[in-house]
Amino acid sequence: MNTKELLKQIAVELDRQAVYNEFQNNVAGLKSPKTRLCIIGQPNCGKTTLINTLLSLDLPVSSISSNKGYVITYGENTQVGTLENDTQYVHIKNEWLNKHSLEIIELNHDVVLDEPSQIELCKILSQCDICIYIMNSQAAFNRTDKFILQNLNEVTMPTRVILSRADLLSDDDYIQVLEFVKNNLSE
């Protein structure tokens, strides 16, 4: 799925150039010389825990609002603030981020959708170069999880799905969860 072309086609078909213009404006504000690793998933699935492990950090896992997204990037001094689009940012002195010219985006609010659409998924994925989708294997899978798994098949960016808390499942439950994911994700 090429997000730019999909939105352009939808805008033309619906005679709604404003949709495409909004996408272009959102993407223009996200341009970065760094590779953006986006970690998305439902609340409490382990996104912040993964970031803490990757970066040897101790970001709070319970006090970061599940309705906010934030960007972690390299900075000489630790600094926290808010970008123009209400996204929180955290600048930390982390040589691994600096060495790999990487930013990590944790998105929460955009994934919790009542009725997700391809346009909304494109908006989420337009913010990243690499995507990790984390699913809590002990939680009930909802239509958002299923929708995202099915649409990740069409994404033209490197994407990984991680099942968190799978070690806490019985062997039978683990096999059922893997089958569900395999049936909804071709690669």
Side-chain angles (χ1 to χ4, degrees):
M1 165 178 30
N2 179 325
T3 55
K4 185 176 178 180
E5 290 302 314
L6 176 64
L7 284 180
K8 190 172 188 177
Q9 177 185 351
I10 291 169
V12 168
E13 287 177 11
L14 297 176
D15 194 28
R16 297 288 188 250
Q17 187 63 33
V19 172
Y20 184 71
N21 292 343
E22 178 185 351
F23 172 76
Q24 289 292 85
N25 291 337
N26 286 337
V27 170
L30 296 170
K31 289 182 181 173
S32 173
K34 298 179 180 185
T35 300
R36 292 185 141 201
L37 167 63
C38 188
I39 300 176
I40 62 176
Q42 302 296 329
N44 302 313
C45 67
K47 298 178 297 294
T48 304
T49 300
L50 175 63
I51 292 168
N52 282 339
T53 302
L54 283 173
L55 301 179
S56 299
L57 294 176
D58 193 21
L59 293 171
V61 293
S62 59
S63 64
I64 294 176
S65 170
S66 290
N67 292 323
K68 294 285 184 184
Y70 67 95
V71 178
I72 301 172
T73 188
Y74 176 81
E76 285 299 319
N77 301 311
T78 299
Q79 184 180 11
V80 178
T82 304
L83 301 173
E84 293 172 11
N85 60 1
D86 286 335
T87 300
Q88 304 292 311
Y89 69 85
V90 180
H91 291 294
I92 56 169
K93 189 167 185 167
N94 182 286
E95 290 304 320
W96 187 79
L97 285 175
N98 189 37
K99 177 182 174 186
H100 296 287
S101 190
L102 186 70
E103 290 180 338
I104 297 179
I105 303 170
E106 180 180 333
L107 287 178
N108 295 297
H109 64 292
D110 288 325
V111 182
V112 184
L113 305 168
D114 293 329
E115 294 293 330
S117 70
Q118 277 194 317
I119 292 174
E120 290 157 331
L121 184 59
C122 287
K123 192 171 181 179
I124 293 167
L125 296 177
S126 70
Q127 300 180 54
C128 57
D129 301 304
I130 302 168
C131 178
I132 295 177
Y133 185 61
I134 301 179
M135 296 172 50
N136 180 348
S137 61
Q138 289 188 306
F141 294 114
N142 58 33
R143 62 181 169 228
T144 300
D145 289 322
K146 187 172 183 173
F147 172 81
I148 289 176
L149 283 176
Q150 291 170 341
N151 280 277
L152 284 174
N153 289 321
E154 299 178 30
V155 174
T156 58
M157 73 177 67
T159 304
R160 297 293 176 257
V161 176
I162 295 176
L163 293 173
S164 67
R165 299 179 181 96
D167 58 321
L168 302 174
L169 297 174
S170 70
D171 290 343
D172 289 340
D173 289 341
Y174 180 71
I175 290 169
Q176 285 181 345
V177 169
L178 282 180
E179 286 302 312
F180 174 83
V181 172
K182 286 178 184 179
N183 288 337
N184 288 287
L185 188 65
S186 66
E187 295 182 29

